[in-house]
Amino acid sequence: DWPHAAIFLAALLTGMRRGELAALQWSWISGGVIRLPGSATKTGQARDIPIVGRVSAILRVAEQHRRTRERHDEPAVSTAVGNPATMAA
């Protein structure tokens, strides 16, 4: 079920926390790296996460999903209706 399965898989593959994934913005993704600003991390420290393997595929699908809806101001991971995706604790 998109996007929940994709979010879960991305979390497993990257080690990103659920809050980091929920806050993820397209502008933070560049050159094969997700650059999380300190404001988006639990520790307050910026960190880089390499985009490898399946993470790249997940982001491609998410980008295609976003483009079909022509929404450029939404979070990188969102629901089918354009709301930011969440992961319950």
Side-chain angles (χ1 to χ4, degrees), residues 9-22:
L9 186 56
L12 286 175
L13 295 172
T14 64
M16 291 175 71
R17 294 178 176 98
R18 84 177 137 216
E20 294 170 345
L21 281 165

Side-chain angles (χ1 to χ4, degrees), residues 9-88:
L9 186 56
L12 286 175
L13 295 172
T14 64
M16 291 175 71
R17 294 178 176 98
R18 84 177 137 216
E20 294 170 345
L21 281 165
L24 185 61
Q25 300 293 314
W26 288 107
S27 60
W28 301 350
I29 303 169
S30 177
V33 175
I34 299 169
R35 299 186 187 282
L36 293 176
S39 61
T41 67
K42 181 178 178 179
T43 63
Q45 298 292 315
R47 66 187 187 114
D48 289 350
I49 300 164
I51 298 171
V52 295
R54 287 189 170 170
V55 176
S56 179
I58 290 167
L59 291 173
R60 272 195 311 274
V61 170
E63 173 68 3
Q64 290 170 351
H65 179 74
R66 178 181 70 102
R67 284 185 181 187
T68 61
R69 293 181 10 254
E70 298 182 22
R71 300 272 314 257
H72 301 287
D73 59 342
E74 68 183 28
V77 182
S78 62
T79 65
V81 294
N83 297 323
T86 59
M87 293 179 61

